Amino acid sequence: MTRDSRSTRPTRARTTSRPTSGGAAKKGRQTAVRTATGGAQRTRATRPTRSPRSMRRLTVIGVLLVFLAVVITPTLRSYLSQRGQIADLNKKVAAQQADLGNLQKQKKQWDDPKYVEAQAGSRLGFAKPGQTVTVYVTNDPKTIADAKAQQDKNSTWYGKMWQSVVASGKH
């Protein structure tokens, strides 16, 4: 057979299923391909085949990862929720400590007799013997209307009815 009578299809070199020297399989195998025109060789990468043993390993690893995810997920969820609760409780503790500081300051103020006298005079209208108490009475219509509205709000239905009877006799 002459060179011209050969087929124009490229021929492929055979590959063996044995591992290369050193015992480690290559990641991408290459095959030599001869072209019909020049006879020069070029290499082409082919997909490596996986052995059943490596597929078994991948399956076991996958099952282990799924198992770990199923086991760890509830634990992680409860951990994160507890961390959130701890943060909320820490905020409450800080607010209560601030309130405690304010209450301690007020307690110190109330321990002072001068402060107690001032509060009794301003809030309750108390006076020491010899002091003059001044009470301001206003004729402001808004203040009077507010007082009547508050009185009407607090009275019962029969009290309102009796007030209307008394008011009708005055006119």
Side-chain angles (χ1 to χ4, degrees), residues 1-12 34-39:
M1 236 190 209
T2 64
R3 186 176 189 125
D4 295 326
S5 64
R6 290 186 192 163
S7 166
T8 57
R9 286 184 26 209
T11 59
R12 293 187 183 163
R34 229 172 239 256
T35 59
T37 56

Side-chain angles (χ1 to χ4, degrees), residues 55-161:
M55 291 302 290
R56 225 177 288 137
R57 286 180 188 158
L58 285 176
T59 304
V60 168
I61 290 173
V63 168
L64 284 175
L65 288 176
V66 169
F67 176 73
L68 288 175
V70 168
V71 169
I72 291 175
T73 301
T75 307
L76 184 63
R77 184 178 296 136
S78 66
Y79 171 76
L80 293 176
S81 69
Q82 288 174 358
R83 293 303 299 169
Q85 289 174 353
I86 289 171
D88 292 341
L89 291 174
N90 284 337
K91 288 179 185 176
K92 284 183 182 179
V93 166
Q96 288 176 348
Q97 286 176 346
D99 289 343
L100 180 64
N102 291 336
L103 292 173
Q104 287 174 344
K105 287 179 185 176
Q106 286 182 2
K107 183 180 180 255
K108 286 180 183 177
Q109 286 179 338
W110 283 102
D111 287 340
D112 184 19
K114 291 181 181 179
Y115 181 77
V116 173
E117 287 177 14
Q119 293 300 315
S122 65
R123 292 183 181 187
L124 303 174
F126 289 171
K128 286 186 175 183
Q131 281 185 334
T132 307
V133 176
T134 307
V135 178
Y136 296 100
V137 179
T138 181
N139 287 330
D140 185 18
K142 183 179 179 186
T143 308
I144 294 170
D146 288 344
K148 283 187 179 183
Q150 186 66 25
Q151 185 181 6
D152 289 343
K153 194 177 195 181
N154 292 338
S155 62
T156 59
W157 65 272
Y158 50 85
K160 289 180 186 178
M161 187 169 73

